[in-house]
Amino acid sequence: METTDNGKLVAIISYFSLIGWIIALILNNGNKTALGSFHIRQALGIMCVGVLLTMLASFVSIPLLSWIVWAGVVVLWILGIISAIQAEMKPVPVLGEQFQEWFKGL
């Protein structure tokens, strides 16, 4: 498999749950690509934001807020996976650039 194909595969796998993210991280560590690393950081950021906002929304206990948070995280996930499928390094809106900075060690 070529490096670009491996990077695209890693990028796509990274968005499929925590297990997919771990598999992508392991694959990327074996043959590091810029595309794979970029999407690993984006996927981790989306997961972290999702967990934090879900915890916050459940603490506030407003059902509509929980639904809005969930919908927002799903939109970020969809945008991220579309970017991975197209083999683009396009950050997700709002925090995508920060994810690259915060998780630059990956």
Side-chain angles (χ1 to χ4, degrees), residues 15-67:
Y15 288 97
F16 290 106
S17 78
L18 181 59
I19 293 170
W21 184 84
I22 292 169
I23 292 168
L25 184 64
I26 292 168
L27 288 174
N28 195 54
N29 282 340
N31 186 13
K32 212 172 256 289
T33 64
L35 181 66
S37 297
F38 177 87
H39 284 285
I40 285 172
R41 291 188 291 265
Q42 292 291 295
L44 178 60
I46 292 169
M47 284 188 276
C48 290
V49 165
V51 168
L52 290 173
L53 289 178
T54 300
M55 288 172 36
L56 179 65
S58 65
F59 178 73
V60 175
S61 190
I62 300 173
L64 180 61
L65 180 62
S66 296
W67 186 86

Side-chain angles (χ1 to χ4, degrees), residues 58-104:
S58 65
F59 178 73
V60 175
S61 190
I62 300 173
L64 180 61
L65 180 62
S66 296
W67 186 86
I68 291 170
V69 164
W70 180 83
V73 170
V74 168
V75 167
L76 291 178
W77 178 82
I78 290 170
L79 291 173
I81 200 160
I82 287 172
S83 176
I85 290 169
Q86 295 174 345
E88 297 177 342
M89 292 196 298
K90 185 175 175 184
V92 294
V94 184
L95 291 172
E97 292 292 335
Q98 283 77 24
F99 296 157
Q100 294 304 308
E101 181 64 30
W102 295 340
F103 305 120
K104 62 184 169 194

